[in-house]
Amino acid sequence: MSTGLLPYEVSPNLPFILADHIAYAIKRKEQNIVVHMPLSFDVRQQYPVEFKIGEYALRIIRKRLNVRLPAHETVGIAMAFINNMADSDSCELAEEFGTDVYDRVLEESTIAVERRLGIQVDREGFDYARFATHLQYLFNRLNSGESIVSDNRKMYLSLKDEYPVASACADDIASVLSRLTGQELIDEERLYLMMHINRIASKAR
């Protein structure tokens, strides 16, 4: 199924999945249940089109159902699209690289972090889960030829000097990605890697 906005096909089951997600979101709203979306920043930066679709969906729900869902539900709706990419020619991730390659990227990147920082990464921890999710999104983008468009290169250059070890670690991961996918990372991508690396490092101290 094509949305006309996304560079990939989505599963034909997506409408039912979205309806189910929205129904539960409304039920949570009625019962004052708050579900935190810790990946909000990541999704907004790495999947801007899906995030905008989520924002649009919340406006439609408010207009047609007179229900004002919390802003973080935008992420849940965006994730429904991200997690339901159809197995088609437009979804090149599984076909070109494959899950086994992503697994190698994650494992080798984790080892690079441990070696460079001299730490043992808690692979059951929340910050590692965010790091792994970020790498998966990054892997998707590299495979589809997309990249982050931002004005953060100056920030990268500044933080590169302030956190030279994290920067070197991001360069190590960039080398892993280059070797396994044939794609190079722009500075903004390295910036986000540095942020995740610093989170992991701070918890290991």
Side-chain angles (χ1 to χ4, degrees), residues 3-192:
T3 65
L5 296 174
L6 300 170
Y8 53 81
E9 296 285 325
V10 295
S11 167
N13 294 324
L14 181 59
F16 305 102
I17 294 168
L18 279 173
D20 189 60
H21 175 85
I22 292 169
Y24 275 103
I26 292 173
K27 187 174 182 179
R28 287 194 298 269
K29 167 74 173 178
E30 292 171 345
Q31 297 177 351
N32 294 317
I33 298 173
V34 178
V35 177
H36 296 286
M37 298 286 182
L39 298 176
S40 178
F41 176 81
D42 305 64
V43 172
R44 184 167 196 158
Q45 292 294 324
Q46 297 159 29
Y47 286 92
V49 175
E50 290 86 346
F51 194 87
K52 287 184 180 299
I53 290 173
E55 291 180 320
Y56 176 72
L58 259 60
R59 291 197 296 271
I60 292 297
I61 292 167
R62 183 168 65 246
K63 181 178 180 180
R64 297 188 180 179
L65 302 180
N66 197 29
V67 176
R68 186 181 293 272
L69 292 177
H72 64 250
E73 291 291 354
T74 298
V75 178
I77 293 172
M79 289 298 295
F81 284 86
I82 296 165
N83 290 332
N84 284 277
M85 294 182 187
D87 292 328
S88 65
D89 291 339
S90 63
C91 184
E92 299 174 354
L93 176 62
E95 296 180 359
E96 185 172 341
F97 290 160
T99 304
D100 57 332
V101 179
Y102 166 70
D103 290 343
R104 286 181 59 192
V105 167
L106 177 59
E107 180 61 21
E108 293 192 27
S109 296
T110 303
I111 292 172
V113 170
E114 292 178 327
R115 183 185 299 118
R116 178 71 67 171
L117 300 181
I119 62 174
Q120 183 70 40
V121 172
D122 177 12
R123 303 189 186 209
E124 301 298 323
F126 175 73
D127 289 303
Y128 180 72
R130 290 193 67 180
F131 171 73
T133 301
H134 175 80
L135 270 183
Q136 188 171 38
Y137 292 160
L138 178 54
F139 186 76
N140 272 357
R141 286 200 311 278
L142 288 175
N143 186 52
S144 65
E146 298 176 13
S147 62
I148 290 177
V149 178
S150 72
D151 299 320
N152 290 330
R153 188 168 187 274
K154 289 183 179 179
M155 182 185 298
Y156 165 75
L157 295 174
S158 174
L159 291 180
K160 180 180 180 180
D161 292 334
E162 187 173 351
Y163 300 102
V165 178
S167 176
C169 193
D171 291 342
D172 291 342
I173 295 174
S175 296
V176 170
L177 286 161
S178 176
R179 173 165 47 82
L180 293 178
T181 71
Q183 304 293 320
E184 302 297 328
L185 293 190
I186 62 174
D187 290 344
E188 284 86 345
E189 301 281 13
R190 295 174 194 249
L191 170 64
Y192 293 117

